[in-house]
Amino acid sequence: MIKRAFACAAALVFAPAFAQQKSPFADYQRMTVEGSPVELFELGGEELWKKPQGPKSASLEKCDLGKGPGVLKGAYASLPRHFKDVDRVMDLEARLVHCMVTLQGRSREEITKSLFGSADRPSEMEYLSAYIAGQSRGVKMAPGGSHPKEKESYQLGKALFFHRTGSWDFSCASCHGEEGKRIRMSDLPVLSDPKAARPLIATWPAYRVSNSQFKTMQWRINDCYRQMRMPEPTFASDTTIALNMYLATTAKGAEYRGPGTKR
Amino acid sequence: MSRILLSLVFFFATAASAEPTARDVTEAMKRDFHPRGQATMDRVAQDGVQRICTETHDKPPAALAKQLEADQMKTIVFPSGSLMGDWKRAEKMAQSGRGSMWNDKPGVDVGGSCYNCHQISPQETSYGTMGPSLLGFGKKRGNGPEVQRYVYGKIYNAKAYNACSQMPRLGHAGTLTEQQIKDLVALLLDPESPVNK
Amino acid sequence: MAGPMKMRATLAGGYTDVRVLMTHPMATEQQSKGQPHFIQNLTVKVNGKTVIEGEISQVVSRNSVFSFRLKGGAKGDQIEVSWLDNKGDTNKTEAAVA
């Protein structure tokens, strides 16, 4: 009797996030996934990847995301990781900025001028993230973990996750620290727990219906800090990468499912 | 003397290879965050409660918790006279989460974000579960001066009653005004409030 | 310059299920502050013959999905979906039934 209850509970945890919602939302969730324009962002990203841009009139096709120049298969699933050429741990967006600067000769100011786009003001990062993440579909998530800087990044990310600060004394764990909780009608996954982290991290970046826009992990972290009543984290800074490292490491081993669709 | 020095060396050696301290994290945030709108960098500094709750994973030893709670109680400014305001105004304000984010205009439509975490009035079905349900709050506890004081104090500074509570210190942080908190007290305690019907 | 379109057409028990994703702002009068921009006409052709002529309006959402079912169909049939918007812009995509 108890064994079956446990198995049922386990099944619920492993089920995709939307299945845990009450029934009025299950249909809505199914319909949003069926009607998702995620593929359009992947196609748009492919165009941008191949498009010559910047003073060097170069495409991003020689960008090394960790598997070698231009190798996209499985690259997203292996991030964040340490990169020898800059001796720094980078997540996808940090590495894209690096490639845009070095391969295309563009400035960081220009690249980061229009971040977190809206439908009327699209941002390259989102399209590129969708395309590159899509190329890791079915690949086991395995961020870096053996290099000392990767370990450092993980430790900083973990400490950040539990760090209480800001006007409202929030840490990430304030909302993502206890099972079975929700804000309004949004279920809150316990992201420090691999069981909960895996299905979530396996489906970011994602199209977000409430924004009519594709959103990345850099955006997600930025928007969390906004709602935590904190000042703004700098795009692709070490603290944001550390948080991504912590989340990706907590979720490691799960199969990456590809860019998802969220509420 | 040399034994003390040796043990100090060992202490610092182990400390260096350990996880980042709360201070390390604050330094990293000072480096990597920037002010935006009304969200200024002073928000990155940890106060005593935040520091201790971080270091003890929200479970400080009992004596220390009591001390923190006593300190936080000192910060509460209780108005004189009745602590009951207008529950109708409060219901509106409990729905709003605006006020202190970097994209908020200071002072415009400022709310307590209460429904994000609590069930309050029965007709509102979109409520969070991070905090306990407040249905029937006044019905269960009455609405005399002591209960009023408890509710006012709890909203003003929840840490005075539970050192590492996840509930924001809405008065202490300057989010809500005295009148707004009084209105919330009425929302919870007034017999006419939908909460108690 | 129109954004990407993507289509999938699959045989399913006597029918052909077609799903087209269309990049388009689909901006209403209000959203665009008086300069609406939306798809007005949708045309579906099977092996060169028009089977659907649709008129849609600004109530359809941005980057929409058009999903429909054709009776019959065979592997290799050529499906073409094209649109024309209120500014005269067009786009089309083709796919073979799988």
Side-chain angles (χ1 to χ4, degrees):
Chain A
M1 179 64 183
I2 292 171
K3 243 196 215 158
R4 182 177 290 166
F6 185 82
C8 285
L12 228 97
V13 170
F14 280 113
F18 61 75
Q20 295 174 41
Q21 294 274 10
K22 289 195 193 141
S23 53
F25 298 101
D27 278 340
Y28 167 77
Q29 298 280 9
R30 180 183 48 81
M31 284 163 69
T32 55
V33 173
E34 284 173 4
S36 172
V38 167
E39 286 175 84
L40 292 177
F41 287 87
E42 294 185 64
L43 288 171
E46 187 177 0
E47 279 178 27
L48 279 168
W49 180 257
K50 296 179 175 158
K51 181 178 172 195
Q53 286 198 79
K56 292 188 182 174
S57 245
S59 77
L60 289 168
E61 286 163 292
K62 287 209 176 75
C63 182
D64 185 350
L65 294 168
K67 297 264 176 192
V71 179
L72 291 176
K73 172 112 185 127
Y76 181 72
S78 70
L79 292 168
R81 68 190 291 162
H82 176 261
F83 285 88
K84 239 196 250 162
D85 54 9
V86 290
D87 191 25
R88 195 180 157 219
V89 175
M90 290 178 147
D91 63 9
L92 174 62
E93 291 171 83
R95 193 64 187 167
L96 282 172
V97 172
H98 171 79
C99 285
M100 288 172 180
V101 168
T102 53
L103 292 174
Q104 299 180 318
R106 296 159 68 182
S107 73
R108 198 197 144 93
E109 282 74 40
E110 182 258 310
I111 294 163
T112 57
K113 193 161 64 155
S114 163
L115 291 170
F116 312 143
S118 61
D120 311 315
R121 191 181 41 88
S123 160
E124 285 183 65
M125 283 297 163
E126 280 133 14
Y127 288 92
L128 286 164
S129 297
Y131 171 56
I132 295 162
Q135 301 295 305
S136 278
R137 264 191 191 92
V139 179
K140 266 206 171 64
M141 295 192 288
S146 51
H147 191 281
K149 288 205 168 174
E150 288 166 348
K151 292 184 185 159
E152 213 178 280
S153 181
Y154 170 81
Q155 292 290 1
L156 176 59
K158 184 173 173 189
L160 276 160
F161 191 85
F162 294 99
H163 189 84
R164 298 193 66 176
T165 182
S167 316
W168 282 12
D169 317 317
F170 286 156
S171 67
C172 310
S174 295
C175 294
H176 291 288
E178 211 182 317
E179 233 181 287
K181 301 290 184 180
R182 60 169 205 250
I183 293 178
R184 289 278 191 167
M185 300 308 273
S186 295
D187 284 340
L188 293 164
V190 179
L191 293 173
S192 49
D193 178 2
K195 276 199 322 289
R198 283 185 188 127
L200 269 302
I201 307 301
T203 50
W204 273 91
Y207 181 76
R208 217 166 171 260
V209 172
S210 44
N211 298 104
S212 294
Q213 185 60 221
F214 195 84
K215 295 296 185 189
T216 65
M217 280 305 294
Q218 279 288 330
W219 172 84
R220 185 61 269 179
I221 290 170
N222 179 289
D223 209 52
C224 276
Y225 276 115
R226 178 179 66 85
Q227 292 174 297
M228 288 158 75
R229 278 73 182 166
M230 285 287 284
E232 187 173 33
T234 301
F235 184 79
S237 53
D238 284 345
T239 46
T240 58
I241 294 169
L243 272 170
N244 272 331
M245 178 61 110
Y246 173 65
L247 293 170
T249 305
T250 307
K252 76 171 186 250
E255 194 180 282
Y256 183 66
R257 296 194 216 157
T261 305
K262 315 277 175 183
R263 67 159 193 91
Chain B
M1 186 61 178
S2 55
R3 206 185 280 163
I4 297 169
L5 276 172
L6 213 65
S7 56
L8 271 174
V9 168
F10 275 120
F11 173 76
F12 283 119
T14 46
S17 59
E19 294 168 15
T21 63
R23 191 166 276 147
D24 294 332
V25 175
T26 300
E27 287 309 302
M29 284 180 148
K30 277 199 204 144
R31 181 194 67 212
D32 288 349
F33 282 62
H34 53 264
R36 184 168 169 178
Q38 60 174 287
T40 45
M41 290 302 282
D42 54 291
R43 297 186 184 192
V44 169
Q46 268 188 325
D47 73 1
V49 166
Q50 293 170 341
R51 171 70 58 86
I52 290 169
C53 293
T54 298
E55 285 172 347
T56 62
H57 284 273
D58 292 339
K59 290 192 177 75
L64 183 52
K66 268 209 160 58
Q67 175 117 42
L68 283 173
E69 284 157 21
D71 284 342
Q72 292 299 299
M73 188 62 86
K74 292 197 198 112
T75 72
I76 305 177
V77 181
F78 287 99
S80 50
S82 170
L83 297 175
M84 298 261 270
D86 179 339
W87 65 259
K88 288 199 190 91
R89 262 202 313 246
E91 174 67 25
K92 266 208 201 98
M93 181 259 294
Q95 295 271 5
S96 165
R98 295 226 167 95
S100 32
M101 295 180 281
W102 75 54
N103 60 315
D104 287 325
K105 272 205 185 83
V108 175
D109 196 23
V110 176
S113 216
C114 314
Y115 277 103
N116 273 21
C117 299
H118 292 283
Q119 179 179 30
I120 312 175
S121 298
Q123 73 272 12
E124 178 55 77
T125 51
S126 178
Y127 61 85
T129 56
M130 290 185 58
S133 167
L134 303 174
L135 266 187
F137 195 95
K139 221 199 280 190
K140 288 182 207 148
R141 293 172 184 73
N143 53 25
E146 267 189 49
V147 191
Q148 288 183 30
R149 196 177 168 84
Y150 165 67
V151 175
Y152 191 95
K154 185 94 178 171
I155 296 170
Y156 192 101
N157 190 331
K159 271 72 168 178
Y161 303 84
N162 175 9
C164 295
S165 170
Q166 297 301 337
M167 179 160 161
R169 298 174 276 178
L170 295 161
H172 179 63
T175 305
L176 297 179
T177 63
E178 179 184 289
Q179 187 58 59
Q180 285 179 308
I181 301 178
K182 280 190 193 174
D183 290 345
L184 286 170
V185 171
L187 183 63
L188 258 47
L189 299 183
D190 193 324
E192 291 309 304
S193 162
V195 169
N196 298 313
K197 288 278 186 177
Chain C
M1 185 48 222
M5 265 174 103
K6 189 155 181 188
M7 176 160 70
R8 238 195 311 273
T10 38
L11 276 174
Y15 293 92
T16 301
D17 280 324
V18 186
R19 191 165 169 267
V20 199
L21 283 162
M22 302 178 288
T23 307
H24 200 283
M26 297 304 291
T28 65
E29 181 88 32
Q30 196 178 43
Q31 286 167 341
S32 61
K33 297 193 174 60
Q35 307 215 20
H37 187 200
F38 56 93
I39 294 172
Q40 278 185 316
N41 301 87
L42 268 179
T43 307
V44 182
K45 289 187 181 158
V46 179
N47 293 330
K49 183 174 144 221
T50 302
V51 296
I52 296 177
E53 282 269 29
E55 282 175 36
I56 62 174
S57 73
Q58 56 187 320
V59 300
V60 174
S61 69
R62 165 187 296 144
N63 298 335
S64 46
V65 177
F66 182 27
S67 150
F68 57 93
R69 179 168 262 201
L70 299 167
K71 212 167 175 183
K75 212 175 177 137
D77 276 349
Q78 284 298 316
I79 315 263
E80 183 199 277
V81 176
S82 59
W83 56 254
L84 168 71
D85 73 19
N86 67 321
K87 291 193 176 171
D89 217 355
T90 67
N91 199 2
K92 74 167 189 260
T93 189
E94 288 164 23
V97 176

